[in-house]
Amino acid sequence: MNQKILRLAAAGLLGMTLCGSSLPAYAAPAWTLPSEGVQMENTAKQAYIYKEMYGRFHPAASSAKPAVFEAPDGWTYTRYSQDGLVLEELTNPEGSGNRTILQLHGGGYIGPLHNGYRNQGVRQAVLSNAHDTYMVNYRLAPRHTYPAALDDAMTAYRFMLKKGYKPENIIVFGDSAGGNLVLALSAKLKEEKLPQPALLILDSPWTTLETESPSRKESVKRDLVLGEINHPTYAKGMNLSDPHISPVYGDLTGFPPMLIQAGGYELFLDDGMKLAKKAAADNVKVTLTVYPGMSHDFALCLPELQDSIDSFAEIRDFINLNMKP
């Protein structure tokens, strides 16, 4: 690891819809964790991120249709509906039956599941050595406001339990707004006295809808992925500190071990740090890693960078440390 990473350990708003959406679909063979990624000093890295993200947000006009997602060679990809909910399933034939993933994507509760997240699902399955991965295409705001996405996440989790997946084998991934939804899901499971999953993996989680933290103000220009944001439509009319939509204010006691990853330049840096402190205070096993100089949801948007490779390796190691093979 070529740069210092701040670690604090204790006892999608926007996973930008465009991040990854214009990338080609995966082809055989399956992704593997590279031994190293693109490395550069900070000034050059910020210029690289700016150029890459500018191209995502200002794509050249094209008549080409979006790429059709293809699972890696030997894998299966199935899209189907369950109780009105659209679920997508990836099956890794070499994965362990003791590892199953539930992915709750980001996008500010307004962006849909897209190929960037499907590709991320492949990476998550490889890192976790999971046999099955379920990606939830939950209902979106502004048409469907709170608690629509949470209800869909609960439906997906109940579906997995009904299929026979053991909760102690389920890893829940969420980035940005998806991280918010992961925490809301755990709170709802606790409320309904349902078993918690094994682990929560949170990338750049959006933990409070409030906008007054220092990083929300100071990182508007240097967060080259998220930048300035507006109040969300998902929780229109609700108190922004309501723990149902700002789970950092809820009681986290009994939540599974969680890994939080954040970028040092991102708007949601304080969200992640506040969550780590609250989890520790509530006796939840939590690890927070801040990747210096990185913007929001960097591993999703810029998986080729060394910082992203480091974050992938950390996810793999965290899962292996806390779960049986």
Side-chain angles (χ1 to χ4, degrees), residues 21-24 59-68 115:
S21 61
S22 61
L23 298 178
S62 173
S63 59
K65 294 182 179 180
V68 175
N115 278 354

Side-chain angles (χ1 to χ4, degrees), residues 108-109 141 144-147 206 209 231-240 242 244-246:
Y109 287 114
H144 300 286
T145 56
Y146 175 87
W206 184 26
L209 273 63
H231 284 202
T233 57
Y234 177 60
K236 188 175 181 179
M238 295 181 68
N239 184 329
L240 297 183
D242 187 324
H244 292 92
I245 56 174
S246 295

Side-chain angles (χ1 to χ4, degrees), residues 5-11 199-203 205 256-262 272-273 275-277 279-280 284-291 314-315 317-319 321-322:
I5 292 178
L6 171 64
R7 295 179 181 275
L8 300 175
L199 300 174
L200 308 182
I201 310 295
L202 307 170
D203 292 330
M258 62 178 73
L259 171 64
I260 306 165
Q261 296 181 329
M273 296 180 71
L275 174 63
K277 292 178 181 178
V284 176
K285 183 179 180 181
V286 57
T287 297
L288 165 67
T289 304
V290 177
Y291 289 79
E314 182 184 31
I315 289 171
D317 295 344
F318 181 83
I319 292 170
L321 180 65
N322 288 280

Side-chain angles (χ1 to χ4, degrees), residues 12 74 77 107 138 140 171 195 205 224 232 261 263 277 320:
Y77 166 63
Y138 53 79
L140 301 173
I171 309 162
L224 301 176
Q261 296 181 329
K277 292 178 181 178
N320 289 336

Side-chain angles (χ1 to χ4, degrees), residues 158-219:
R158 289 179 184 273
F159 167 73
M160 293 173 70
L161 296 182
K162 188 176 180 179
K163 285 199 70 173
Y165 294 104
K166 296 179 180 179
E168 62 266 27
N169 293 339
I170 298 175
I171 309 162
V172 187
F173 280 82
D175 70 291
S176 195
N180 182 288
L181 186 53
V182 167
L183 295 167
L185 173 63
S186 270
K188 188 69 171 177
L189 293 173
K190 178 180 175 181
E191 177 185 320
E192 298 196 5
K193 296 181 171 55
L194 290 172
Q196 294 285 341
L199 300 174
L200 308 182
I201 310 295
L202 307 170
D203 292 330
S204 296
W206 184 26
T207 69
T208 173
L209 273 63
E210 296 173 314
T211 60
E212 298 303 312
S213 68
S215 66
R216 296 284 184 95
K217 298 177 179 180
E218 297 168 3
S219 295

Side-chain angles (χ1 to χ4, degrees), residues 15-26 31 56 66-70 77 88 90 103-107 111-125 133 135 137 173 175 203 297-304 312:
M16 288 304 214
T17 298
L18 291 180
C19 286
S21 61
S22 61
L23 298 178
Y26 269 95
W31 177 85
R56 305 281 177 85
V68 175
F69 178 77
E70 295 180 5
Y77 166 63
E88 300 186 15
L90 277 169
Q103 183 204 84
L104 302 177
H105 68 82
L113 181 68
H114 54 64
N115 278 354
Y117 282 110
R118 297 180 182 101
N119 293 339
Q120 187 79 329
V122 172
R123 290 190 284 265
Q124 291 165 349
T133 296
M135 299 172 288
N137 204 349
F173 280 82
D175 70 291
D203 292 330
D297 231 341
F298 61 91
L300 171 71
C301 297
L302 299 151
E304 71 278 10
F312 294 145

